[in-house]
Amino acid sequence: MTATYAIVPALATVEGLLRNGGTYGSGPDGGYNWLRLKDVPGHRSADAATSCYTCHGNAGGSASANNVHSPSAGVSGGGVNCYTCHSIYKDPMEDGTGAAAGSARTSFFHHVLGGTINTGLPVYYDGDYAPGPTGVYPSLANGTAETVFCVSCHADHDKFNGSKGGNLRSSISANTTAATDFIAGSNGGVCVSCHGSATAKDTA
């Protein structure tokens, strides 16, 4: 707000972006640092229900933190409901209760997602409940073998972003991750931790 101007070199960054739109790597956009939002799903004005911060971060607090001018690549950091990005699973797998109903749930054999987790008081959650770094994971202690969620088998993103292949929980009673559904040992991995004995079938 003064009459003084600063000389900005061509390779300087302005609000986290290269001023000259230079290359940063390779990719479908040709590897250029675009100074506008591309016209792709998630970046259109019609996506009013989703904030930029949902995918790209709003940590703040330091010069290197992800924010609107220095966004992350868009991978969830945990705590974001799964259907926000993985909506294809809602219709065939979600139960008929709550805000996210599965319109095709009776047409497939599958785990029926959604139910009550006892986190002190019984609370109903849709199947895409994401606990994030501090939330409660569903287990046989706070649910039942017939009540399952995405994170009954998978860990939330904060647990496996550093190793994408390790997105499975090691068991229904542990939040640790594994790169396989079978682990030699006491519980045999996340599948056998529930299916070591017969369980009742949950039907729509």
Side-chain angles (χ1 to χ4, degrees):
M1 300 302 290
T2 69
T4 302
Y5 291 88
I7 297 174
V8 181
L11 296 180
T13 58
V14 179
E15 300 292 6
L17 298 176
L18 279 172
R19 179 174 173 267
N20 68 349
T23 60
Y24 63 88
S26 61
D29 60 2
Y32 288 94
N33 199 351
W34 294 93
L35 297 179
R36 61 182 174 82
L37 294 176
K38 303 298 287 296
D39 186 24
V40 296
H43 291 154
R44 297 191 178 107
S45 60
D47 297 330
T50 302
S51 165
C52 301
Y53 299 137
T54 301
C55 300
H56 295 289
N58 186 25
S62 73
S64 61
N66 292 131
N67 54 63
V68 69
H69 293 137
S70 179
S72 78
V75 177
S76 169
V80 177
N81 289 344
C82 306
Y83 298 148
T84 302
C85 298
H86 304 284
S87 59
I88 192 172
Y89 298 107
K90 181 182 74 171
D91 284 347
M93 299 185 75
E94 183 65 30
D95 69 5
T97 305
S103 61
R105 67 188 185 278
T106 60
S107 302
F108 300 88
F109 291 100
H110 59 89
H111 282 108
V112 179
L113 301 182
T116 299
I117 301 175
N118 187 352
T119 57
L121 293 173
V123 178
Y124 176 86
Y125 293 93
D126 286 318
D128 66 338
Y129 162 74
T134 59
V136 175
Y137 272 82
S139 70
L140 297 184
N142 60 30
T144 68
E146 294 81 32
T147 302
V148 293
F149 305 83
C150 300
V151 292
S152 293
C153 301
H154 295 280
D156 202 351
H157 274 267
D158 61 287
K159 297 286 194 294
F160 71 85
N161 273 343
S163 178
K164 296 295 190 292
N167 61 60
L168 290 172
R169 293 172 66 182
S170 56
S171 80
I172 190 66
S173 60
N175 299 347
T176 54
T177 59
T180 177
D181 58 4
F182 175 76
I183 303 171
S186 58
N187 63 48
V190 68
C191 301
V192 180
S193 65
C194 283
H195 292 285
S197 58
T199 58
K201 183 182 293 184
D202 192 354
T203 59

